[in-house]
């Protein structure tokens, strides 16, 4: 893959993860010739390591706005992706303690206020939907119109088969250093008028933006053998954000996804204190123990593979979308999506492209601008 030799790009995308692929397709749709560089493969790194859950999250107004906007963009794209494993999926949020029940109406009202269909479930309704959940669960919140997508395949389609793919060149095995924003890597990079960086880390290393560094968060996932129809929704604990997104140390939260193959994908964990990609048995065991509180039959299932991935996160939990600053003129950032890279990729591309061409975006870009941190990037 790639443009003909010597062709000059209008924009260069560094890394071919789902965010990079979405940015490339959006810029190509605006008429730009785009070159995408990746040291490995399309949709590798964090894109391949995650669940591919397209979900609206409301931990903050800015997170809600970005994930909702992007979820709607995915639904618009769905007819073209049906054959590429985008499928509708609802998810239920469940909680074990009755004292948490009072918080569920607030969650539902926040979703409904933004036009997101949310249905409160009592204990009986929850077990009708999901007979396999623990008898101690006292209710849940069902969010409609979630989906799952096999993100590496979706990224491949955006780059090579979408209506704008003729304007996109892809160079794999390119000598791109994960921590470099400088323009010394390739002739194609020097020729590009704009550079967009989708830096979903593969190694777990990150480099600081301003005084607050982008941090790698290591996560574990496990996939089981095939157990068709065991669960029917993506299941998360109601306090997922609070449980999983600690600012320091190691944390786990319950998250289970029924795969189209009949397998169950079980998560999730967060670690700040390591860049070692090896599976850590104590963390994996802690994660599965928590999951078994919600799915009691889980210890009886056969787990066939576990793996890890690294998510790059900003201190405030929001991605950096916009100009890198005076220290790197012509460089635009689309980084730090943490666990919502697949969900927010299409909206990220829209916001980045709008800034590059000077158009108004569909939602305010200010919460995601890199300039909310001090404009200083440490070079090696």
């Amino acid at each position: 893959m790639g443009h003909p030799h010597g062709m000059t790009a209008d924009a260069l995308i560094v890394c071919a993860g789902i965010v990079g692929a979405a940015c490339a397709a959006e810029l190509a749709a605006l008429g730009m010739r785009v070159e995408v560089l990746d040291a490995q493969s399309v949709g590798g790194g964090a894109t391949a390591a995650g669940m591919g859950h397209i979900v609206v999250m409301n931990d903050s107004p800015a997170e809600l706005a970005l994930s909702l906007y992007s979820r709607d963009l995915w639904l618009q794209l769905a007819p073209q992706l049906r054959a590429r494993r985008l499928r509708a999926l609802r998810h239920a949020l469940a909680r074990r303690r009755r004292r948490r029940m009072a918080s569920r109406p607030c969650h539902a009202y926040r979703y409904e206020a933004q036009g997101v269909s949310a249905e409160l479930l009592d204990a009986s309704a929850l077990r009708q939907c999901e007979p396999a959940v623990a008898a101690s669960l006292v209710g849940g919140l069902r969010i409609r119109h979630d989906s799952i997508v096999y993100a590496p395949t979706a990224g491949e389609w955006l780059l090579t088969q979408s209506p704008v793919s003729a304007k996109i060149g892809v160079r794999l095995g390119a000598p791109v250093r994960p921590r470099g924003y400088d323009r010394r890597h390739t002739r194609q990079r020097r020729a590009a008028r704009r550079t967009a960086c989708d830096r979903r880390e593969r190694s777990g290393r990150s480099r600081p933006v301003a005084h607050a560094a982008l941090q790698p968060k290591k996560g574990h996932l496990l996939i089981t053998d095939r157990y068709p129809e065991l669960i029917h929704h993506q299941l998360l604990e109601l306090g997922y954000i609070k449980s999983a997104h600690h600012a320091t140390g190691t944390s786990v939260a319950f998250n289970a996804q029924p795969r189209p193959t009949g397998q169950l994908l079980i998560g999730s964990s967060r670690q700040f204190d390591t860049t070692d990609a090896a599976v850590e048995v104590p963390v994996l065991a802690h994660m599965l123990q928590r999951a078994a509180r919600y799915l009691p039959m889980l210890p009886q299932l056969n787990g066939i593979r576990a793996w890890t991935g690294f998510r790059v996160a900003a201190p405030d939990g929001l991605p950096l979308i916009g100009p890198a600053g005076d220290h790197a003129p012509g460089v635009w950032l689309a980084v730090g999506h943490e666990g919502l890279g697949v969900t927010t990729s299409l909206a990220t591309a829209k916001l980045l492209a709008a800034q590059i061409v000077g158009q108004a975006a569909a939602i305010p870009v200010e919460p995601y601008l890199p300039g909310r941190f001090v404009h200083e990037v440490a070079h090696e």
Side-chain angles (χ1 to χ4, degrees):
M1 293 179 286
H3 284 309
H5 180 70
M7 185 174 182
T8 300
D10 298 308
L12 185 71
I13 307 293
V14 179
C15 291
I18 189 62
V19 175
C23 290
E26 188 63 31
L27 293 176
L30 295 175
M32 297 185 193
R33 295 164 297 177
V34 182
E35 193 82 15
V36 180
L37 303 182
D38 198 289
Q40 298 184 33
S41 60
V42 172
T47 298
M51 282 185 161
H53 185 197
I54 299 171
V55 55
V56 177
M57 299 298 283
N58 66 347
D59 191 41
S60 69
E63 182 182 75
L64 175 61
L66 188 66
S67 59
L68 177 57
Y69 179 30
S70 203
R71 192 281 308 267
D72 291 346
L73 292 172
W74 276 109
L75 294 180
Q76 293 171 26
L77 193 62
Q80 300 177 69
L81 289 175
R82 290 297 182 196
R84 295 165 182 84
R85 297 179 65 182
L86 176 78
R87 73 182 187 102
L89 183 71
R90 296 173 294 176
H91 79 276
L93 299 169
R95 188 67 186 180
R96 299 178 71 248
R97 300 186 181 91
R98 292 186 183 277
R99 63 185 174 84
R100 290 286 184 175
M101 288 292 289
S103 68
R104 293 191 302 124
C106 295
H107 283 276
Y109 296 152
R110 285 201 297 267
Y111 278 119
E112 292 283 2
Q114 297 297 323
V116 179
S117 178
E119 177 187 2
L120 288 169
L121 304 175
D122 61 18
S124 175
L126 176 61
R127 258 169 288 285
Q128 286 181 0
C129 294
E130 295 291 349
V133 301
S136 60
L137 295 179
V138 295
L141 177 67
R142 181 162 58 186
I143 310 299
R144 300 185 184 275
H145 305 304
D146 282 7
S147 300
I148 58 172
V149 64
Y150 186 59
T153 301
E156 184 87 24
W157 181 85
L158 287 168
L159 293 175
T160 66
Q161 301 173 52
S162 68
V164 298
S165 60
K167 291 183 175 293
I168 302 172
V170 180
R171 294 188 182 275
L172 303 180
V176 178
R177 297 187 304 173
R179 295 201 286 177
Y181 286 152
D182 62 84
R183 301 185 179 187
R184 297 172 294 175
H185 305 319
T186 65
R187 291 179 183 176
Q188 290 78 18
R189 182 161 188 166
R190 287 195 297 269
R193 296 204 303 265
R194 303 175 181 89
T195 302
C197 299
D198 160 30
R199 298 179 54 254
R200 306 301 302 277
E201 295 290 355
R202 304 169 193 279
S203 66
R205 295 175 295 181
S206 67
R207 65 195 294 267
V209 175
H211 295 305
L214 288 171
Q215 293 182 293
K217 288 186 180 181
K218 180 179 178 179
H220 287 70
L221 288 174
L222 178 138
I223 196 163
T224 72
D225 210 339
R226 298 171 189 265
Y227 302 96
E229 303 300 315
L230 181 62
I231 64 174
H232 309 280
H233 302 75
Q234 179 108 10
L235 299 173
L236 296 84
E237 62 178 275
L238 187 59
Y240 177 80
I241 296 295
K242 182 178 179 180
S243 297
H245 291 196
H246 292 180
T248 59
T250 299
S251 60
V252 298
F254 169 61
N255 191 351
Q257 181 186 95
R259 302 295 295 172
T261 58
Q263 297 169 288
L264 268 65
L265 190 56
I266 307 294
S268 63
S269 69
R270 298 290 194 280
Q271 290 173 267
F272 287 90
D273 54 356
T274 180
T275 57
D276 184 354
V279 171
E280 299 179 47
V281 173
V283 176
L284 185 64
H286 187 198
M287 182 185 83
L288 295 176
Q289 287 168 1
R290 188 172 188 89
R293 293 164 59 185
Y294 293 85
L295 291 175
M297 83 299 298
L298 186 63
Q300 304 171 33
L301 307 184
N302 182 34
I304 60 175
R305 186 168 72 93
W307 65 93
T308 69
F310 288 90
R311 319 163 182 92
V312 177
D316 60 3
L318 297 175
L320 277 63
I321 307 171
D326 294 340
H327 62 277
V331 175
W332 300 77
L333 303 180
V335 299
H337 295 77
E338 215 258 299
L340 287 176
V342 176
T343 289
T344 60
S345 57
L346 299 185
T348 292
K350 292 282 188 182
L351 297 188
L352 188 72
Q355 293 178 71
I356 288 175
V357 301
Q359 295 179 351
I363 63 174
V365 300
E366 287 75 15
Y368 322 104
L369 293 176
R372 67 186 188 272
F373 301 117
V374 178
H375 288 190
E376 180 181 349
V377 178
H379 292 275
E380 294 182 14

